[in-house]
Amino acid sequence: MREKEKSMKANIKWLDDPQVFRVNQSNAHSDHVCYATREEVETTSSLKQSLNGTWRFYYSPNPSVRPKTFYKKDFDACSFDEITVPSHIELANYDKIHYINTMYPWEGHVFRRPPFTTSPEKEAEGIFSTAKDNPVGSYLTTFRLEEGLKGKQISIHFAGVEQAMFLWLNGHFIGYAEDSFTPSEFDLTPYLEEENILAVEVYKRSTAAFLEDQDFFRFFGIFRDVFLVARGQNHLEDLWIKPRLDDKCQNGKLEVDLSFEQVAQNSQLNVAILDPEGKEIYQQQYPLKEQMTIRIDGFENVALWGHFQPNLYKLELETIDEEKRVTEYIDYSFGFRKIEIKDKIIYFNGKRMIINGVNRHEWHPKKGRAITIEDMEKDLAIIKNAKINGVRTSHYPNQITWYYLCDQAGIHVMAETNLESHGSWQKMGAFEPSYNVPGAVPQWQAAVLDRAKTNFETLKNHPSILFWSLGNESYAEENIRQMNDYFKKVDPDRLVHYEGNFPNPAFEDSISDVKSCMYAPPEEIVDYLENKAEKPFILCEYMHDMGNSLGGMDSYMTLLDRYEMYQGGYIWDFKDQAIQVTDPITGREVMRYGGDFDDKPSDYEFSGNGIVFADRQEKPAMQEVRYYYEKYSK
């Protein structure tokens, strides 16, 4: 942290400016876990300390009445309540539960336009910082460093905070972050003491709200894990594993880019690779450097990663100081697989790809999006049983654990960037993009490129990810084209997906490797494939399973037999978004959907489109899904 950054003060006006979305944050990096020794892999890393649990908490209905000095060391928090971290503030009985699909949640109550869209000179000062409809959550907790973290540089990792957060440690301002669904990390080292007071101020709305207009319940708060990470001598900061196959998908080679910090003199790096059976097939020691690239050829007759056989190799890294002591140990599983387009057809591992997919929100009927690994494992078991082979992470990056589980289960992933600005270009069903963001507005470009970069940098090593998705329903202009160009530049081995260019055909050729549509009737798909096909066709959403729905699925599935360029799609969607409550009259546990909380504007029962109910009970439609997806499993 630079001296200038140390003395910086928090500024609530950042909420109003789309050009300010990260302050003093560490750079995004791979999601590897560092251990002090190899043995810790079987238990827990002594270089990591969880801060989950019970925190002190104060709810304010708007910024003007928040406890402005709560972060100071001498602040008296006796009036604060308690809250569980991670969780949503609304589900802890504060604020109002609100579901809406395409419109912004303030429509009909407050007039707002995205800054710099109606007038290039106008920044809309106060649009959120002085708003009466912008609740604030003030969080406090204390901690002491555990033994394994002492004497090292310390970062704090917030896996998900919705929607804008300010951070202080021991009265010192640390940083600011937006982007609710990707990790935010900050260096705490300069201000650590023996007993530490951590303060987090979370706002429900900022200019990020214009970019996070997804079809879901609008929550806020610290809803994913919070933990400390120790960065000691010879620390691995970033890892990029790039396995590649030859044209026959038979033999492979490996390139690994490594970034280390605090490299000690005469340190070494031990590198080993294990095959899917656990047999060591490579071992070598290298002099440790800050930047390293390791290239390994000669992987013959590789075991491919795929849906039916998700074969995973393992990379093991061990840093050694000049006294021959282990300073860090890391392992990471990777897979050899290849996705490519040839003759306008998507091939996966040399065979035509068929997507038997589903869109999935993170959801639990009592915890909302604050789900656990057990919740993910239960979802995945249903997905596998339904013969689903692919998941689109609609419409934001999921918890990191989900991608590891998909690696192991052979579920391919369309990894969506946290972007949807539906309400800025479509009003009551009509296209009206006069104040669309990100559009081509220069002041919004950096924010969306940062979201793309964080998505990529965090998740780049997962073999399950075959597509990077630029976001959902955000129209198409120059800034989204820049996102497409970014992904193609940094990761040419994967495909890029985007559906939202259809209202603006001028960008059809320059955004997305595939022709992607939502809910196109079969005859429209046939017309495209027979008369104007330039790209392989997928349905990123189809078979909208709302109410007694999902009939006629065969009219889509049989297209797979007729047209090689038709590659399948992702059902909308996996699970109902419904909240389980106790009915005050009957005392029974019941599910409540959009509109059941006197939430307006609302899209009501549109929160219930799943092939399973919110509690994972299968709907009758699942019989149709399982029948056809099994029939077309290849």
Side-chain angles (χ1 to χ4, degrees), residues 519-529 539 552 554-556 559 562-563:
Y519 312 112
E523 55 269 22
E524 284 189 15
I525 301 172
V526 170
D527 179 60
Y528 171 81
L529 293 171
L539 286 160
D554 63 316
S555 61
Y556 288 99
L559 294 179
R562 297 169 57 191
Y563 302 98

Side-chain angles (χ1 to χ4, degrees), residues 8 41 52 54 65 77 112 128 145 160 206 295 396 407 421 423 435 492 500 503 546 570:
M8 184 181 291
V41 175
N52 291 352
T54 302
V65 295
R112 286 192 177 99
F128 294 111
L145 290 181
S206 69
R295 296 180 177 88
Y396 43 82
D407 293 344
S421 62
Y435 53 89
M546 183 176 175
Y570 301 85

